[in-house]
Amino acid sequence: AVAKDSLLILRSAIELYTAQHGGIPPGYKDDDPQVTPTYEAFNEQLVVGAGGNYLKKMPKNPFNELQNVSMVGNSETFPANPVAGCGWVYQPATKTIRLSWSGSDADGIAYYNY
């Protein structure tokens, strides 16, 4: 439940930021979608205290307690599996964010596919 709630919060913040920045999702320095997206830009744009005003803090992945985000570039294929060493996997070009954790819930749904 915590994983789904955290994803809902992140996805809502991404959508709101995008709507308020001319269709440009967070992750691009200076809202320039031609540059390589970075976690630093994403964090600065969304998190209060880092410069943003959309999230009080970056949610932790409830399974590995990590808050960092593995960024996927515009022309890169979104990873088919979770990325080790991070809490979340995000591609600004598609506004896709996923929980970086393997395994499945009690219903057999992969956490990575939430």
Side-chain angles (χ1 to χ4, degrees):
V2 173
K4 287 181 179 180
D5 287 346
S6 294
L7 280 166
L8 178 63
I9 290 165
L10 284 167
R11 289 173 177 151
S12 296
I14 290 166
E15 287 299 330
L16 182 57
Y17 182 94
T18 303
Q20 293 179 344
H21 289 85
I24 307 296
Y28 300 110
K29 184 170 176 55
D30 299 323
D31 288 336
D32 180 357
Q34 301 306 310
V35 302
T36 301
T38 66
Y39 170 64
E40 292 77 17
F42 179 81
N43 192 59
E44 182 178 296
Q45 291 161 337
L46 291 185
V47 180
V48 172
N53 62 358
Y54 298 87
L55 301 169
K56 286 187 176 185
K57 62 182 180 177
M58 186 65 187
K60 291 181 182 179
N61 174 318
F63 297 103
N64 63 16
E65 297 293 311
L66 297 175
Q67 295 173 292
N68 61 324
V69 180
S70 176
M71 303 295 284
V72 181
N74 295 348
S75 60
E76 295 176 34
T77 301
F78 202 92
N81 298 301
V83 176
C86 68
W88 311 96
V89 181
Y90 171 59
Q91 185 174 41
T94 61
K95 297 186 289 182
T96 302
I97 190 158
R98 292 188 182 169
L99 179 72
S100 191
W101 192 253
S102 57
S104 302
D105 64 17
D107 295 322
I109 299 170
Y111 295 119
Y112 192 62
N113 291 332
Y114 276 3

